[in-house]
Amino acid sequence: MNITDRLMNNEKGKIDTSNMNGKQVPEIIDEHSMQQESQVLEHFASKNGAMVNKKSFMDLKGLTEDLLTSFSLKGKKNTKSSSGSVIEAKFILYLNILKKIPFVVLGDKIQKKKDSYANLQMQLKQARIPMSYEMYISNAIFYSLLCGIAGAILGSFAAYTVISLVGLPEHITQLTFSSSTVWLLQFKELFIALLIIVSSTIFLGGATYTLFMIYPGFQAGERKGRINRQLPYAVTFMYAMSKGGMNIIDVFRALARSVNTYGEVSLEVDTIVRDMDYFGHDLRTALSNACTITPSDRFQDLMYNLLTVIDSGGNISKYFQDKSESYLLKSQTDQKGFLETLGLLAESYVTAFVAGPLFIIIMGVMMAVMGSGTTTMIYAVIYGVLPVGSVMFVVMISIITPSEMGEPELLPTRAKLKHDIPQIPQHLQQQFDENGTLMEENEEKVKQRQYYEGFVRSKKQLNLKNALKNPLAPMLANPLFSAIVTLPLALLVLLVPFALNMHSIATPAQLVDFFDDKLVLSTFIVLVPLALFHEIKNMKKKKIENNFPDMLKKLASTNETGMTLRDSIHLMAKSDTNTLSKEIKMIWNDITWGLDINDSLIRFANRLRTQVITRSLSLVTKANESSGDIGEVLIVAARDAASEQAMRRERNMSMMIYIVIIYISFLVFVGVIFVISTTFLSEMAAAGEKMAASGSSGGFLGSFDLNAYTQLFKHAALIQGLSSGLMAGAMGEGSVMSGLKHSIIMMTIGFLIFTMFI
């Protein structure tokens, strides 16, 4: 069935012609499938615009969009929608119409300059943006004009504020006017207003258009990085599948369905499958098309060489095996370069935001004490430069860090095991007539309903018992849940004393003194449990992942002796050697209760929810479905898991020296301001007191406040400790949450020094 038929016909033959101005619309529409059809149409149009009749394509595309709109409106009608949802739907409809106006007006002109937008066309394909370049540029123009109008409105308000409310100074510039042009000064308000409005319009409109033009390239670069990171493991998957006897097309189909495990690589392979399924291309043509539009040079190299292997009749499994090893080596090389970049950033951070601010603070204090400066610069450095600069470095590290795909989604199992509280079936529930009398009630029905009610009570009691037995389980699973308890507690620590002592706080200085230590305590109340639960979860995850490659190797070794995978798991379940022993016993329990091996392994992966385990067990289960001889697949999966663990350990070891440097620099920072507070500033304060006692009113020391500077330095130590800790976590483990423990340690050191010794 072609694309048009799939859009116009429903498999069940149920057609509703009451909508869409007489167009046939399926009564039952799958929104996800319709979106896929729209993407296919866009992909087809963007591949070769000359091959598609523009009018027929736009009609078909418009029909698809109308169907989607109809589906969303129909869904809203089936729910308890209000008038607001109808207004929202109309707004979206009118906005879509307005968005198409620039395309109608400028589409032909843009198409005539097709060669000028060749790079943009390629970037749109590589970024997988399902839109033709004419439509994309039209959208860019539309939103730029929209933002330009918004900029003009904001500029008008700004001009009114500057001219009417604030007022212009007498001399704005150093320009001089002759007698023939002095009349222009009478209209300076008008000129300045026009300048503000025009500048705001050009800035917002131009910035929007620029962002539209650079976004496809940025998105393509992001996809390239994700493809390169997942490619070694995806090639291993293809090797395992082909080794089990699966042909290359079925291998591609299996990989395309594993998008939750292999990410962007699965999406790239999915384009190959779609070229064959939707457009009738052969494998060779589909591979050539994929090589043309992929943003990853490594994926392109993989497909080009695969074409050569196919044409020459070579061993595809051997080719994938060699490529997998090659890409793993490239990943290790990339990590070395990344670690060198991290080292450079760490040194820059210590220089710019530890040593630099310390020098500026010292100079500012000296100048303020000597009467030749103010404390404004010190406040700006402590409360502005330190936190903002540290956040910038953390964001920079997060951007360049090869990020994982996050917590993997649950893998599907054949057996559906539901552990929620069951509902009493509809046919067993009590039914009443209009007078409130029971209907269709008999002894057997009552008996069965009582069985269900007892079962429901038992499930509720069991859930309550488990919750009371392990009340911290939700926080261990997701550390952020701890904030549900700690944030209200922290607010109570702040607000209750404030409410009791509100009458005694008269000045801003007294307010700052009152909240000073309490704010620090509230911060610790929030951060300490969050860091503790995160570290417990992270530690458990590391232990399991470190032992996981050994588990796969043991399964492989027992499989090579002739034992089946089931027998191998049974043998390992009898031992109790490491952290995974309990999980292996749970796998065996699932098997003995009637689940097949694949479902038991998938349930194991779903319990742990880590990328390494999910990816490896997805590979093993797929290979087990295609062939019972999975010894080599287990060895390959163990190698990949061990390789990833080795790269993580290398990063931790390489970054340890820089984490130590951050600790040392923080201690130097705190030590220097401690010495300044206890020696220099103390002497200045004593000298000021002597001058005041002698009755001398002159000099700068009479107004010197030691407590204010001490409090300022304490805040500097706390802010520096929090910032440096987050920086250490981002560098050492690639996670800001992992830096909370460093922040707590450094903040505790700074707080104790200024509380106990100053």
Side-chain angles (χ1 to χ4, degrees), residues 56 64 105 108 164 167 192 201 215 318 341 412 464 474 522 536 544 685:
S56 62
T64 306
V105 176
D108 294 335
S164 300
I192 292 175
T201 302
Y215 174 74
K318 177 63 176 170
T341 304
L464 179 60
S522 299
I536 293 175
I544 291 176

Side-chain angles (χ1 to χ4, degrees), residues 542-598:
K542 287 180 179 179
K543 287 182 179 179
I544 291 176
E545 289 186 345
N546 290 337
N547 292 317
F548 185 67
D550 293 334
M551 168 188 164
L552 294 178
K553 291 177 182 178
K554 291 178 182 178
L555 290 175
S557 61
T558 53
N559 185 265
E560 289 177 353
T561 62
M563 297 179 65
T564 63
L565 184 58
R566 175 190 175 96
D567 294 335
S568 300
I569 294 174
H570 186 199
L571 181 63
M572 293 182 61
K574 295 179 180 179
S575 62
D576 189 7
T577 56
N578 53 43
T579 310
L580 275 176
S581 298
K582 180 180 178 181
E583 295 294 337
I584 296 174
K585 291 178 181 178
M586 294 178 68
I587 297 174
W588 177 246
N589 289 338
D590 286 341
I591 295 174
T592 56
W593 276 88
L595 291 179
D596 62 18
I597 297 176
N598 284 353

Side-chain angles (χ1 to χ4, degrees), residues 141-406:
I141 294 173
F142 170 76
Y143 284 109
S144 299
L145 291 175
L146 203 64
C147 291
I149 295 173
I153 296 173
L154 292 176
S156 301
F157 282 109
Y160 174 77
T161 302
V162 171
I163 296 173
S164 300
L165 301 181
V166 178
L168 297 176
E170 290 293 331
H171 300 284
I172 299 175
T173 67
Q174 299 297 325
L175 296 177
T176 57
F177 294 85
S178 63
S179 58
S180 60
T181 59
V182 71
W183 60 272
L184 293 174
L185 295 176
Q186 300 176 3
F187 304 97
K188 67 177 182 179
E189 290 86 357
L190 178 62
F191 291 144
I192 292 175
L194 289 176
L195 177 63
I196 294 174
I197 294 173
V198 171
S199 300
S200 177
T201 302
I202 294 176
F203 175 76
L204 286 180
T208 302
Y209 187 81
T210 302
L211 289 175
F212 262 92
M213 291 297 104
I214 66 175
Y215 174 74
F218 174 79
Q219 186 67 17
E222 288 291 305
R223 291 193 69 246
K224 175 183 177 180
R226 292 194 290 266
I227 290 171
N228 290 342
R229 287 193 292 272
Q230 294 292 333
L231 193 58
Y233 312 109
V235 175
T236 300
F237 177 88
M238 290 189 282
Y239 161 65
M241 295 297 100
S242 60
K243 186 71 175 177
M246 189 179 291
N247 66 67
I248 186 62
I249 297 179
D250 290 335
V251 170
F252 283 155
R253 294 186 191 279
L255 181 57
R257 291 192 297 266
S258 304
V259 64
N260 293 332
T261 306
Y262 299 103
E264 294 292 343
V265 181
S266 294
L267 296 179
E268 289 293 288
V269 173
D270 185 57
T271 61
I272 301 174
V273 177
R274 288 196 304 176
D275 269 1
M276 293 186 291
D277 290 345
Y278 284 94
F279 307 117
H281 293 157
D282 58 12
L283 177 60
R284 199 179 195 289
T285 304
L287 290 176
S288 299
N289 292 338
C291 293
T292 303
I293 64 174
T294 182
S296 171
D297 51 350
R298 295 183 185 179
F299 186 83
Q300 185 183 64
D301 173 73
L302 177 69
M303 294 297 109
Y304 268 135
N305 290 332
L306 179 60
L307 278 173
T308 304
V309 173
I310 293 174
D311 291 340
S312 62
N315 190 333
I316 295 178
S317 297
K318 177 63 176 170
Y319 167 71
F320 283 142
Q321 182 182 15
D322 295 339
K323 278 296 182 181
S324 175
E325 296 174 355
S326 173
Y327 288 141
L328 281 176
L329 292 176
K330 287 182 180 179
S331 298
Q332 294 173 359
T333 303
D334 292 344
Q335 172 153 309
K336 291 181 180 178
F338 167 68
L339 293 179
E340 291 178 358
T341 304
L342 275 186
L344 178 62
L345 288 176
E347 294 172 357
S348 302
Y349 173 79
V350 171
T351 302
F353 293 101
V354 179
L358 179 61
F359 176 76
I360 295 175
I361 289 172
I362 294 174
M363 293 299 297
V365 170
M366 297 296 182
M367 294 172 62
V369 171
M370 301 302 294
S372 58
T374 64
T375 58
T376 304
M377 180 178 63
I378 305 175
Y379 279 94
V381 170
I382 293 176
Y383 298 110
V385 174
L386 284 181
V388 173
S390 300
V391 169
M392 289 175 56
F393 264 84
V394 170
V395 171
M396 191 184 308
I397 291 176
S398 301
I399 291 174
I400 67 172
T401 298
S403 58
E404 293 185 355
M405 297 174 62

Side-chain angles (χ1 to χ4, degrees), residues 520-545:
V520 176
L521 178 60
S522 299
T523 304
F524 278 116
I525 289 175
V526 175
L527 294 185
V528 171
L530 182 61
L532 180 62
F533 290 124
H534 174 76
E535 291 304 316
I536 293 175
K537 179 181 177 180
N538 204 28
M539 190 179 302
K540 180 181 178 181
K541 174 184 173 182
K542 287 180 179 179
K543 287 182 179 179
I544 291 176
E545 289 186 345

